[in-house]
Amino acid sequence: MAETTAKSGRNILEIDDLKLAYLVGGARVKAANGVTLRVGEGEAVGIVGESGSGKSTIARTVLGLLPEKTSEIESGKLIIDGRDVTRLSPKEWESVRGNPVAIVFQDPLSFLNPVMRIGRQIAESVEHHDQGVKDVKARVAELLTLVKLPVTAARAYPHELSGGMRQRAMMAIALGCRPKLLVADEPTTALDVTTQSEVMELLRDLRKKLGMALLLISHDLGVVASACERIYVMYAGRTVEWGPTATIFSNPSHPYTKGLLRAAKATRDERGRFETIPGDVPNLSKQPPGCPFEMRCPVAMPVCKESMPAPTDLGSRHAVRCYAVEAAAQRVPASAAS
Amino acid sequence: MVETVIGKPVLELCKVSKSFHRRGFPPVTAAREVDLHVCEAETVALVGESGSGKSTLAKIALGLVRPDAGEVKLFGKTISGLPMGQLREVRTAMQPVFQDSSAAFNPRRTVTQLLSQAAIRHPSPIGTMRERLIILLEQVGLRPGEDYLGRFPHELSGGQRQRLSIARALAMDPPIIIADEPLSGADVSIRGQLLNLMIDLREKRKVAYLFITHDISIAKAFAHRVAVMYKGSIVERGNADEVLANPQHEYTKRLVEGSLTVEQAEKAVEAISHKMESGVAAS
Ligand SMILES: Nc1ncnc2c1ncn2[C@@H]1O[C@H](COP(=O)(O)OP(=O)(O)OP(=O)(O)O)[C@@H](O)[C@H]1O
Ligand SMILES: Nc1ncnc2c1ncn2[C@@H]1O[C@H](COP(=O)(O)OP(=O)(O)OP(=O)(O)O)[C@@H](O)[C@H]1O
Ligand SMILES: [Mg+2]
Ligand SMILES: [Mg+2]
């Protein structure tokens, strides 16, 4: 398997062939259908992929926040900081959540307590997870400054902040835990570019200072490119391509990754239409046995309908799950393949 | 390039001001004598820094926040200051898409329940309600539609929930949609599809949009006019192409320069990869 490990050789997060389903009505929505992913200590890793492809599901899994009654981990393994946490009880998860792993959610309002001041919410995370801190109030002020919020924001309630300010407040709460791994789910979606680059700058700084690892989920390729050393591309609950950021951009191999990069340009064609990736997203509750991208794929072959390809190692920690790429790699006995 | 439109104004904000005062806080001026109008079939993009007052302005237009001063007009009729009972009718004419989709829906209602009220007003009342709902869902890329009918909002992904709120707004067939970062959770492919859908409605049903976005490339490609907000004031406005190609105000300049386009990102990464390759070759 062309899986990569950290520079230090130690991984803060390992996900192995994870399969899980949400149960809705009578259906099983397979939101993870073979996810394999590594984040090394101190490393910044990005996940990109279509809306609904299972990115937030990964985030929820890593935090033990899957809905208890309506989801089920079917198979696979989840290791955090050396500990197998695949089957932890809700109680046991409390020793993982916050520290070593903290999260910044996609929808701030679903996470923030609407009737508690921001300052108190940050203070709670500090009190629970960073017991070394004596002066909690000073630490709260420091965290607010860190995320570029005025110290007065401590006294505001969530609804009194703008969307972007709420996102940063949530980041302060997460950082208050001093996590070894920060999972950031679309942390900058609602931010203008100047604020966005400030926040990304902040994350880079913190990683350097604290040695914190980052798992950054975003559909914004620019954001991921600027912050992450490696990228995983997800499609329909599967990791389909991964490699160093530069390689993914300069040499995208999966047909979906290629389409993604093309569509990212927000340009309109001669008919005034915006570019999209043609075809429908697959139905996660009735997945075909083969590659989920097959029905939209410009280079699909008969075999693609039959089974999901194994990863093809393209060298330099770059790998892809695609029969077309596999066939091409075999034709040219590549010196690249390590 | 987006062609200009000349039509009658649908929404007008006239010298609208709003400050927030709370004990122990310095007052925040979220809107300072803001003038803004949107015409039939026209799209106006509102861009600006986080906290500059964009969402507040949208809420004032929708009658959800009362301005300290100034007027809001819908089709020339003043609606600011109307009693709540009359506002309800006005609100069906202006459909919102809110920034945070998790707060936009009643969590105890299913998708079917959330959309059926809207779908009754759907412009082409053909087929059964169920069929109409499925069409609506599939228009915003929630396919197959029937899979989503029985779900609760929290059983959707972030981007899917945002699309549900777009579907609800579109279903009402309103003359104007006020959308606050409606595409922030949409991946690039869906984004194209949604923009195309909104362009269709603009052309066929003359829908007007007040469109809040931080994405300059979308503002450029989709909006006719753009207004740039900075600390509660509109500091620059005009034809979207012109303003964004040749920004005058300092903040607009930063905004335009700072927007990392994919082409720029690609170039940056290319530079890195060259460095890395030469590094690898050397070792
Ligand atoms: N209900 C409120 N009470 C007090 N202050 C408020 C309230 N609503 C908004 N504000 C303040 O008004 C200012 C403008 O907020 P607004 O939400 O309009 O910004 P925005 O331009 O939408 O920002 P963003 O891009 O981050 O969403 C902010 O400083 C915010 O804290
Ligand atoms: N509680 C749930 N019950 C049923 N289905 C769910 C639930 N949560 C998510 N899903 C489904 O699982 C799939 C993956 O959802 P997830 O939130 O992980 O997507 P995502 O990649 O984060 O998308 P987005 O970019 O839109 O946020 C989606 O198709 C969604 O509809
Ligand atoms: Mg998500
Ligand atoms: Mg806002």
Side-chain angles (χ1 to χ4, degrees), chain A residues 159-165 168 190-192, chain B residues 20-22 28-30 48-57 59 99 180-181 212 229:
Chain A
H159 76 272
E160 295 173 331
L161 298 178
S162 80
M165 294 162 97
R168 283 174 281 158
L191 298 180
D192 64 288
Chain B
F20 294 103
H21 297 270
R22 286 244 339 259
V28 176
T29 304
E49 196 170 41
S50 175
S52 60
K54 305 180 296 294
S55 297
T56 302
L57 209 56
K59 286 179 200 157
Q99 189 166 7
D180 196 349
E181 305 278 7
I212 299 176
M229 257 191 122

Side-chain angles (χ1 to χ4, degrees), chain A residues 110-150:
Chain A
S110 65
F111 171 78
L112 292 168
N113 183 338
V115 295
M116 198 191 273
R117 293 179 201 274
I118 295 295
R120 186 86 280 277
Q121 301 192 45
I122 302 173
E124 284 198 348
S125 79
V126 174
E127 284 159 7
H128 281 122
H129 300 288
D130 197 1
Q131 266 108 9
V133 173
K134 297 222 175 56
D135 188 347
V136 174
K137 216 173 146 203
R139 177 69 181 147
V140 169
E142 187 182 306
L143 285 162
L144 284 169
T145 313
L146 211 58
V147 298
K148 307 257 183 333
L149 281 176

Side-chain angles (χ1 to χ4, degrees), chain A residues 22-24 29-31 49-58 60 67 70-71 106 185-186 217 219 234 284, chain B residues 148 151 154-161 163 185-187:
Chain A
Y22 294 109
L23 317 173
V24 258
V29 179
K30 301 258 302 187
E50 214 150 33
S51 173
S53 61
K55 304 181 297 297
S56 298
T57 299
I58 301 292
R60 261 176 241 136
T70 55
S71 72
Q106 187 167 14
D185 192 356
E186 310 276 7
I217 296 171
H219 57 263
M234 273 191 84
L284 293 184
Chain B
Y148 294 91
R151 293 216 200 159
H154 70 268
E155 293 176 330
L156 299 174
S157 80
Q160 289 170 342
R161 203 160 41 232
R163 280 181 271 153
D187 60 83

